[in-house]
């Protein structure tokens, strides 16, 4: 399979995609796969009421497509025409206070919708849905635990071997490659690329299954750190997500993109795009037993368990408040050095 160059027109600035916004919602309502999208709030554009009436809604023209972390602060450069990365003008001089403010407002209000958010082009709507559902069939077939480790090649093989899953078609494979190889700086995610190839995989011999969790940790540093935290803080601490393959991260990201009505900026403020997740190199998520979905909210930082962990001195989180990755505050996500 050839690595594909980033294709022109894969993304759409919100100005153009807005017409498709309601199409996304329509798809959402039809699919049991999808969670309901939170209420739209626009902090940068006209009033939130404008979102109700697309005819009268005017977007601002500034895009944050080519922001790069430089000197500690991402630099938004206005880019008005889609194109290849090499064509994107990049001027450090373009940084101003308002742009920094805009960046911080976005990650602090990660689930809001901003006028400058970047959407997947509306032409990819049905492919996004079809491919995500196809991957859901794979996960259902092999189980959540195994899916955490599944490689891209294994997924394709399973598609060919099992009629319950079905073969992955060329349009789906092209779509998955485009998502993987597209530069997420275009939609406001600034984390590093961890895996260069979509076929990169996690060797089974390098992971340890963590009992009663359905998750795996890389042997060595990750497993030792988790064991030490549990020893120092107590059995209330649980592993909520461990090492994740590119396939697993891809499926999470695509589902997030569907929930966000194709808004890739919003999706990536709370989930790293495939190939960019530190879960691929040993980071893991922890929570408190019985705390449920609140383990994945800022509320986790109010728990006694989190406060104890913060005092241990040897634990770091990957995404602190106002980080430079373009990602929300994630007190549950433990960083491996
Ligand atoms: Zn995480």
């Amino acid at each position: 399979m050839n690595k594909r160059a980033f294709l022109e027109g894969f993304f759409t600035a919100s100005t153009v995609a807005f017409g498709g916004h309601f199409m996304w919602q329509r798809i959402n309502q039809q699919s049991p796969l999808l969670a309901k999208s939170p209420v739209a709030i626009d902090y940068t554009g006209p009033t939130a009421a404008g979102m109700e009436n697309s005819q009268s809604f005017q977007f601002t023209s500034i895009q944050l497509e080519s922001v790069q972390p430089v000197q500690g602060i991402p630099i938004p450069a206005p880019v008005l025409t889609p194109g290849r990365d090499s064509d994107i003008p990049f001027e450090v001089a373009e940084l101003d206070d308002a742009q920094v403010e805009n960046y911080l407002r976005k990650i602090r209000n990660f689930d809001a919708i901003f006028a400058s958010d970047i959407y997947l082009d509306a032409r990819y709507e049905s492919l996004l849905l079809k491919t995500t559902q196809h991957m859901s069939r794979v996960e259902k077939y092999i189980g959540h635990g195994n899916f955490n480790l599944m490689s891209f090649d294994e997924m394709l093989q399973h598609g060919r071997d099992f009629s319950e899953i079905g073969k992955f078609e060329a349009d789906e494979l092209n779509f998955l490659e485009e998502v993987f190889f597209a530069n997420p700086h275009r939609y406001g995610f600034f984390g590093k690329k961890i895996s260069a190839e979509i076929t990169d995989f996690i060797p089974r011999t390098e992971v340890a299954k963590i009992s009663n969790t359905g998750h795996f940790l890389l042997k060595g540093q990750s497993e030792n750190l988790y064991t030490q935290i549990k020893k120092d803080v107590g059995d209330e601490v649980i592993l909520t997500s461990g090492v994740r393959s590119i396939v697993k991260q891809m499926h999470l990201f695509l589902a997030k993109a569907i929930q966000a009505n194709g808004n890739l900026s919003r999706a990536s403020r709370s989930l790293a795009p495939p190939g960019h997740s530190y879960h691929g190199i040993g980071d893991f998520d922890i929570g408190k037993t019985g705390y449920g979905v609140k383990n994945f909210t800022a509320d986790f930082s109010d728990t006694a368990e989190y406060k104890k962990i913060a005092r241990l001195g040897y634990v770091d989180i990957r995404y602190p408040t106002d980080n430079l990755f373009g990602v929300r505050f994630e007190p549950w996500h433990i960083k491996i050095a």
Side-chain angles (χ1 to χ4, degrees), residues 167-183:
K167 185 171 173 280
F168 280 82
E169 303 295 342
D171 59 346
E172 295 174 299
L173 298 180
N174 287 342
F175 175 68
L176 291 173
E177 284 202 336
E178 283 166 25
V179 171
F180 184 82
F181 290 112
N183 186 345

Side-chain angles (χ1 to χ4, degrees), residues 30-163:
Q30 284 168 356
S31 170
L33 171 80
L34 313 167
K36 238 189 153 45
S37 191
V39 177
I41 306 166
D42 192 323
Y43 290 89
T44 58
T47 60
M51 299 299 285
E52 308 294 331
N53 180 357
S54 65
Q55 265 86 36
S56 65
F57 195 86
Q58 296 294 311
F59 286 97
T60 59
S61 58
I62 300 294
Q63 306 299 336
L64 275 177
E65 287 171 313
S66 63
V67 184
Q68 305 259 356
V70 170
Q71 295 180 342
I73 297 286
I75 320 286
V79 176
L80 304 179
T81 50
R84 292 175 184 277
D85 287 343
S86 55
D87 300 334
I88 297 173
F90 178 70
E91 282 295 326
V92 174
E94 288 180 55
L95 175 69
D96 63 38
D97 290 351
Q99 288 167 325
V100 173
E101 267 308 303
N102 190 34
Y103 167 82
L104 293 175
R105 198 162 52 229
K106 284 189 171 198
I107 60 171
R108 289 171 188 167
N109 304 282
F110 60 91
D111 234 357
I113 296 166
F114 294 88
S116 52
D117 281 350
I118 300 297
Y119 286 70
L120 187 71
D121 191 278
R123 286 173 293 160
Y124 292 83
E125 281 177 12
S126 58
L127 251 186
L128 169 62
L129 196 66
K130 176 174 121 175
T131 311
T132 309
Q133 288 172 334
H134 201 165
M135 293 179 81
S136 297
R137 291 205 297 279
V138 178
E139 181 166 28
K140 193 175 171 208
Y141 191 83
I142 67 162
H144 298 294
N146 292 327
F147 195 66
N148 281 316
L149 300 179
M150 184 171 235
S151 74
F152 192 72
D153 289 339
E154 284 171 338
M155 179 174 80
L156 302 195
Q157 189 64 49
H158 273 66
R160 289 190 291 268
D161 289 349
F162 304 107
S163 58

Side-chain angles (χ1 to χ4, degrees), residues 240-242 244 249 270-271 277-279 283-286 296 318-319 330 332-334:
T240 53
S241 187
R244 300 202 292 242
Q249 193 71 20
S270 54
L271 198 93
S277 173
Y278 287 96
H279 281 268
D283 280 15
F284 55 90
D285 298 335
I286 54 169
F296 296 100
R318 178 69 67 179
Y319 304 109
E330 294 195 353
W332 59 87
H333 183 122
I334 305 300

Side-chain angles (χ1 to χ4, degrees), residues 184-289:
H185 287 201
R186 286 178 166 273
Y187 47 84
F189 180 86
F190 311 111
K192 261 198 279 176
K193 189 143 202 175
I194 306 294
S195 300
E197 297 301 329
I198 198 168
T199 48
D200 287 350
F201 65 98
I202 303 158
R204 297 292 198 281
T205 50
E206 307 220 340
V207 300
K209 193 168 182 17
I210 307 302
S211 52
N212 306 318
T213 69
H215 296 287
F216 298 82
L217 287 175
L218 286 184
K219 286 178 185 168
Q221 207 188 351
S222 300
E223 189 185 10
N224 295 343
L225 180 59
Y226 177 66
T227 307
Q228 191 63 45
I229 292 172
K230 273 184 86 83
K231 201 171 150 215
D232 290 341
V233 179
D235 276 337
E236 290 289 287
V237 175
I238 47 159
L239 180 69
T240 53
S241 187
V243 65
R244 300 202 292 242
S245 70
I246 286 166
V247 163
K248 172 71 180 181
Q249 193 71 20
M250 177 74 83
H251 188 239
L252 289 173
F253 185 72
L254 296 182
K256 198 64 131 177
I258 293 170
Q259 283 177 2
N261 292 315
N263 183 336
L264 298 178
S265 304
R266 182 177 163 204
S268 71
R269 287 194 283 270
S270 54
L271 198 93
H276 292 76
S277 173
Y278 287 96
H279 281 268
I281 57 162
D283 280 15
F284 55 90
D285 298 335
I286 54 169
K288 167 192 163 80
T289 50

